[in-house]
Amino acid sequence: MRPLDLLLAVPSLLLLIVLATVAGPGIAVLIAIVAVITFPDVARVARAAALEIGARSALEAMRLQGESWWRTSVVYTGRSMARPLAADMGVRFTSSLYLVASASFLGVGVPPDAADWAVMVDRNRTGLFLQPWAVVVPALLVIALSVGLNLLFDRALRKGTT
C-alpha cells in the first residue's frame, strides 16, 4: 500500500495535467489517466473492506470446515465487499467526472470540438452575461448526472437490504 500512498500524496489535478501533457490528447488516454488517479482510493477502500471481512468469525468457521479458497475468498468475501464497493463507486464516479470536466476545461482533456459539457461551459463563459443559460445548463447537467447516479446507487443498495 505504500506506493499507492505516495500516489495519493500528489494532488489529482496536478497529476492529471502532467500525465495528459506527457501522454497526449485522446479519450482513451483520459480514461486511463483517470483510472490511474482513482485506483489508489479504490484499492484502499477495497483493502479496508476485505480486512474487516477477513476478521469475521464466519470466515474462520468456513476455513475450519474445509471450504475451498475460491468459496471463502471469492464467493463470501467478494459478496460481502459488494455493498461497500458499490457505495464507493458513486463517489468515485463523481470525482472522475470532476477530473474529466477539469481536464476539458483546462484544455488537456477531450478535443475542443467535442460535445462535452465542460467544454461547453469553457467555450460559452465569455458570453456569460449575454446568454447565461449557455453556461448554466451544461453545469446543471453535470450536477444532475452526478446526483442522479449517486441516488441510483443508493437505491440499488437499499433494495438489496429489503
Side-chain angles (χ1 to χ4, degrees):
M1 291 302 291
R2 294 302 165 230
L4 295 179
D5 290 343
L6 181 66
L7 193 58
L8 279 172
V10 179
S12 58
L13 194 56
L14 178 65
L15 190 61
L16 177 109
I17 292 170
V18 169
L19 291 176
T21 303
V22 170
I27 301 288
V29 172
L30 188 60
I31 290 170
I33 290 170
V34 169
V36 166
I37 290 172
T38 58
F39 177 73
D41 294 326
V42 174
R44 289 180 70 86
V45 169
R47 180 177 183 268
L51 287 175
E52 188 271 327
I53 294 164
R56 290 182 184 169
S57 58
L59 190 61
E60 186 64 30
M62 289 176 74
R63 285 188 195 125
L64 291 174
Q65 289 176 351
E67 293 289 340
S68 67
W69 175 86
W70 176 263
R71 182 136 169 93
T72 58
S73 298
V74 176
V75 176
Y76 178 75
T77 308
R79 190 179 310 152
S80 298
M81 287 175 58
R83 292 178 53 81
L85 291 179
D88 185 59
M89 196 181 314
V91 175
R92 294 292 155 233
F93 179 79
T94 302
S95 66
S96 299
L97 188 66
Y98 165 74
L99 281 172
V100 170
S102 298
S104 298
F105 189 78
L106 294 172
V108 294
V110 295
D113 58 344
D116 183 65
W117 292 330
V119 173
M120 289 179 190
V121 169
D122 181 41
R123 297 291 176 251
N124 294 327
R125 68 187 161 116
T126 56
L128 180 63
F129 295 112
L130 297 174
Q131 186 57 281
W133 290 111
V135 175
V136 172
V137 169
L140 288 175
L141 288 172
V142 170
I143 293 168
L145 176 65
S146 176
V147 170
L149 193 67
N150 276 299
L151 289 174
L152 183 69
F153 277 115
D154 287 345
R155 176 71 158 208
L157 291 173
R158 195 173 332 122
K159 192 178 287 186
T161 59
T162 58

